[in-house]
């Protein structure tokens, strides 16, 4: 479809082959650079910022003195994962509303002016990323918590006999044991760096923040399903997948050479 002028009536076999026409059309538009930049920046920002938080949470829970308190914290941080994207964005609209939002009410009480968090192009990326961290941090920490649970207890016993502090145990036992798991997850996340969740970005989009919120997935939806330009949308989607595949191969090779941990 990406190399054809696809027509649902004629089907794939009967549609006209046009080669790279739709790829050239996309890269010649003024929106292409902006859309690709928005996708890469938002994905990289989300990946870099969100990656350490599950590890930190898992380490904190692993060294929590009160096991009951640790289980409560783990449950509380795990629960937001089950909130649907639509409900999450609705909660954000309520909490950060200019007129009746809790955040702006606090700002007004402190003598500051209300800020349009949800419609500002400057705050869109921060709102998207940090709300995602709040929602997914507890779920992502389960993998690291399981990896910590598999560490041989005799290593901790030997470290305690040698007088190692908690910080030293984290540095010399926990983190080296978590590196293989962290590297595999990092490779998988890097291979998906051009694919952002369509629903959340689309629901958070407004006319004022469109310059930073328009990404490949939302653009493909608008021109593919709403505009019915199936071949054009397929070409952009194919380009997106090729970039993801290339990044996955490169990151996997780099990880294999530097840490000796890779997917293959």
């Amino acid at each position: 479809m990406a190399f054809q002028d696809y027509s649902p009536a004629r089907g794939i076999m009967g549609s006209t082959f046009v080669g790279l026409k739709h790829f050239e059309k996309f890269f010649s538009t003024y929106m292409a650079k902006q859309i690709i930049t928005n996708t890469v920046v938002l994905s990289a920002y989300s990946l870099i910022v969100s990656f350490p938080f599950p590890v930190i949470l898992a380490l904190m829970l692993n060294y929590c003195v009160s096991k009951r308190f640790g289980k409560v914290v783990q449950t509380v941080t795990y629960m937001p994962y089950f909130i649907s994207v639509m409900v999450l964005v609705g909660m954000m609209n309520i909490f950060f509303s200019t007129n009746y939002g809790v955040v702006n009410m606090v700002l007004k009480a402190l003598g500051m002016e209300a800020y349009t968090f949800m419609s500002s192009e400057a705050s869109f990326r921060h709102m998207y990323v940090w709300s995602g961290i709040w929602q997914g941090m507890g779920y992502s920490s389960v993998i690291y918590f399981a990896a910590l649970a598999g560490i041989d207890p005799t290593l901790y016993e030997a470290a305690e006999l040698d007088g190692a502090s908690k910080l030293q145990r984290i540095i010399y036992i926990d983190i080296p044991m978590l590196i293989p798991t962290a590297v595999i997850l990092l490779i998988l996340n890097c291979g998906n760096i051009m694919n952002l969740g369509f629903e959340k970005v689309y629901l958070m989009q407004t006319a004022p923040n469109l310059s930073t919120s328009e990404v490949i997935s939302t653009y493909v939806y608008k021109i593919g399903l709403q505009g019915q330009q199936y071949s054009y949308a397929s070409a952009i989607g194919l380009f997106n997948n090729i970039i993801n595949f290339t990044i996955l191969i490169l990151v996997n090779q780099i990880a294999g050479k530097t840490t000796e941990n890779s997917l293959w």
Side-chain angles (χ1 to χ4, degrees), residues 41-109:
V41 170
L42 190 58
S43 296
Y45 180 19
S46 180
L47 177 62
I48 294 171
V49 174
S50 63
F51 190 74
F53 281 93
V55 179
I56 295 172
L57 178 60
L59 291 171
M60 292 174 62
L61 292 174
N62 190 49
Y63 284 91
C64 185
V65 177
S66 174
K67 297 300 180 183
R68 184 176 181 181
F69 177 74
K71 291 181 180 179
V72 172
V73 173
Q74 187 176 12
T75 303
V76 171
T77 55
Y78 188 77
M79 287 173 63
Y81 178 77
F82 297 99
I83 300 175
S84 68
V85 175
M86 186 171 294
V87 173
L88 175 63
V89 176
M91 292 169 60
M92 293 169 63
N93 284 323
I94 294 174
F95 294 150
F96 294 95
S97 172
T98 307
N99 299 322
Y100 53 83
V102 176
V103 177
N104 276 311
M105 289 177 65
V106 173
L107 293 178
K108 291 177 182 178

Side-chain angles (χ1 to χ4, degrees), residues 197-219:
F198 156 77
E199 299 88 352
K200 187 176 179 182
V201 177
Y202 187 72
L203 290 171
M204 291 179 63
Q205 273 188 356
T206 59
N209 68 20
L210 200 60
S211 60
T212 56
S213 64
E214 187 73 288
V215 295
I216 290 178
S217 58
T218 57
Y219 186 67

